[in-house]
Amino acid sequence: MSNFYAELALSFEGSAQRPALLLNGQPDWSYADLLDRVRLAAAELDAFGAVAGDRVMVQLPKSPENLALYLACLQLGLVYVPLNTAYTASELDYFVSDAEPVLYVGTQTREDVPSAKLRLGNRGSVLEFMVPVQVSDDHTVAIVERRPDDLAAILYTSGTTGRSKGAMLSHGNLASNARSLSEQWGWETSDVLLNALPIFHVHGLFIASHCALLNATPMIFLEKFDAEQVMAWLPQATVMMGVPTFYTRLLMNTQLTPAATAHMRVFICGSAPLTEQTFGEWEEKTGHRILERYGMSETIINTSNPLNGERIAGTVGYALPGQQVRVANETGEPVTSGEVGMIEVAGPNVFPGYWRMPEKTAEEIRPDGFFITGDLGVLSADGRLSIVGRSKDLVISGGYNVYPKEVEMVLDEMPEVAESAVIGVPHPDFGEAVVAVVVPTAGEVTIDAIDRALGEQLARFKQPKHVINVDELPRNTMGKVQKNVLRQAHSALFT
Ligand code: AMP
């Protein structure tokens, strides 16, 4: 049975009386409770008529019920499509028309999403927006047989062309990476994971949650990151996973001391670059060296600093066992160690491709199975990877990816804007802040005008935090905007 949920359920059943989810302000869930809630959600999905291969789109605030819904989708072989809760109705409209889910579970209404009214589900049924299905107590559903390459989830990444790509992940991808991480990070039966990450993203859902679930260990399941709350729960945790912003915010908390963290087994970080400064300050304040690892929606985790061994600031460690990492030139030929090139990865964790985008898939996955990550890196002679930049123009703000093109397209529609370039500028709290450089049609474009124009269309985290008015954008001889020039000129904006 290659359904990843079969493996999880076996582990839950063996630990039914153990705590599964430690919750803020509500009773904890044991693994028996979790099994029960998954059973109920699976019965509802089954009664609704969803069948293996159907997509279920979910845009919900993080909650234990939301986690149960995800697991129920796995159980039934449904393809789980989580969406950032910050996405607006007009963004949702695209995801609905692209994924054609049979069901959307979320807070937006059908009226706000034009494609929901027009489109039919893939079996001709109208797309439904809620699960108000009544099920009887004895309605139980079996775990649906899946092959390792059957789809388990689609994670939308923002597209460089403005069009989001759906990274397809299989049951085999999820299972192999969960096992590998659990081993790599030495998961123990006494571990308690502090999870304050969102679960619409690979980090909080697959990387963090799977480690806890696979081992049937408790997870402190916080709806969102709040430094005070995290400090209050920390005494009960042994492992924390977070983005660099979590660590920089905790560093500002006066309760962060060696004594408050002495019991912790490991602090793990990823999703955006952890600066050597944060790494150093964390060690100074707590005595712990943060374990940094590297991954992405398309591949879950590729490399990790060692649990036992040297964790080096500014590096993301070694390829996980069974995976390969190479730093290559444009044709995929490995460059010599110490030289910068494109990071390419292969292994059982690598996704089969982008949903309904065979050309994009062929562009980014080589015939030998290596995925071209878009990140630039250097390998040391002994195989330790460092990330030195991104060839794709991505901005990572507070752990969230923002593709400048998508923001620029909306800015350029403003009558006040002749043209625009969106860049990421180092920011002490967000890692990078989204900054708009604009050429106004007349007068000056204010940040208020941008907020008004973009508010309805783009998620809050994509909206520029600052605007710079210029007479013209710097361009190279090929007419391409030189973003590196802009980034350099404004690098000290927030520091
Ligand atoms: P996502 O698909 O949202 O997880 O974003 C993946 C991207 O985040 C990668 O392609 C990298 O550019 C970046 N990323 C993830 N982990 C790290 C890390 N430890 N250091 C630097 N960048 C990272």
Side-chain angles (χ1 to χ4, degrees), residues 375-429:
D375 294 313
L376 298 171
V378 179
L379 270 180
S380 70
D382 77 335
R384 189 185 276 274
L385 184 69
S386 303
I387 300 171
V388 298
R390 290 184 292 266
S391 68
K392 298 170 191 167
D393 201 7
L394 183 70
V395 178
I396 305 183
S397 191
Y400 292 133
N401 290 357
V402 181
Y403 282 87
K405 186 83 188 173
E406 189 186 9
V407 185
E408 287 160 10
M409 287 189 327
V410 185
L411 282 172
D412 292 348
E413 279 171 15
M414 291 174 64
E416 306 93 306
V417 173
E419 60 172 345
S420 65
V422 165
I423 54 170
V425 170
H427 187 283
D429 192 18

Side-chain angles (χ1 to χ4, degrees), residues 157 201-202 270-273 292-298 316 373 375 387 390 394 396 401:
T157 66
H201 186 265
V202 57
S271 284
E292 189 177 3
R293 90 300 176 281
Y294 164 57
M296 60 198 62
S297 305
E298 291 91 338
V316 291
T373 62
D375 294 313
I387 300 171
R390 290 184 292 266
L394 183 70
I396 305 183
N401 290 357

Side-chain angles (χ1 to χ4, degrees), residues 468-487:
I468 296 163
N469 285 265
V470 294
D471 290 333
E472 60 178 325
L473 296 173
R475 290 179 188 276
N476 67 13
T477 46
M478 301 301 289
K480 282 192 195 297
V481 176
Q482 292 168 300
K483 291 210 173 163
N484 51 335
V485 173
L486 290 174
R487 277 193 289 262

